[in-house]
Amino acid sequence: MEHRPSTRRSARLPRVDWRDRDRQMLAAARIAVQALRAEPGCPARLTRTAIARRMGHLSLIEQHMDRMPRTRAFLASVVESRGAYARRRLRWATEQFRMEGVAPSASQVGRRAGLRPDLATQLAEDVDRAVRSLEPTDLRRAS
């Protein structure tokens, strides 16, 4: 009996300082969002998963968001809905046509923006506005 280990266990100290981890993840998330928005080509949708992948911490973001409230609030504020993402792609496609000097039809704008049929009908006004903004100035005055 005198050689048996003590049955009393010492209390473990937490191995992770979640406040510090939250601060680090928030800074990394801000950098990841800026990088995703700055990528050339067709814009990528800002989702929690895409941001976490860019940060290199997908599993941490998926499993421990309840312990990082500031990071969770930031991600909730920047994550895009389908509609917001479609509008951003529409702006991108409009700018691409403007740089090319092309006056496209509504279907060409929708196709370049990658709008699905259900979103194309929801964003019909936005598409028409984009097409009107790309018309040559001579045609706008004539109509």
Side-chain angles (χ1 to χ4, degrees):
M1 290 299 279
E2 60 188 52
H3 295 293
R4 285 184 61 194
S6 159
T7 57
R8 186 170 160 225
R9 303 268 172 161
S10 61
R12 275 183 149 175
L13 296 175
R15 296 186 320 173
V16 176
D17 179 2
W18 286 104
R19 281 187 179 185
D20 186 46
R21 176 75 55 93
D22 189 19
R23 190 172 48 252
Q24 292 170 359
M25 291 297 111
L26 179 60
R30 285 186 174 142
I31 292 168
V33 167
Q34 288 175 350
L36 284 169
R37 285 186 176 156
E39 281 185 347
C42 186
R45 183 173 175 192
L46 295 177
T47 62
R48 200 168 89 174
T49 302
I51 296 167
R53 279 192 182 126
R54 176 57 68 113
M55 293 167 52
H57 294 286
L58 180 60
S59 63
L60 182 65
I61 296 297
E62 286 181 346
Q63 296 171 6
H64 298 290
M65 283 305 291
D66 58 324
R67 297 181 182 197
M68 298 182 287
R70 292 170 58 201
T71 304
R72 180 179 57 231
F74 173 73
L75 290 176
S77 71
V78 297
V79 165
E80 292 177 314
S81 66
R82 283 180 57 217
Y85 176 51
R87 282 184 183 86
R88 190 160 61 101
R89 282 195 327 260
L90 186 59
R91 286 191 302 271
W92 169 80
T94 304
E95 190 56 37
Q96 292 295 307
F97 281 119
R98 185 170 285 118
M99 289 185 334
E100 294 169 5
V102 175
S105 66
S107 63
Q108 288 172 321
V109 171
R111 197 173 313 118
R112 170 126 356 141
L115 298 181
R116 292 176 21 182
D118 60 328
L119 282 175
T121 56
Q122 287 177 354
L123 300 175
E125 283 183 30
D126 295 321
V127 171
D128 290 339
R129 196 174 311 121
V131 169
R132 282 193 309 270
S133 74
L134 293 168
E135 288 177 350
T137 54
D138 302 293
L139 295 177
R140 272 193 239 154
R141 279 189 229 140
S143 46

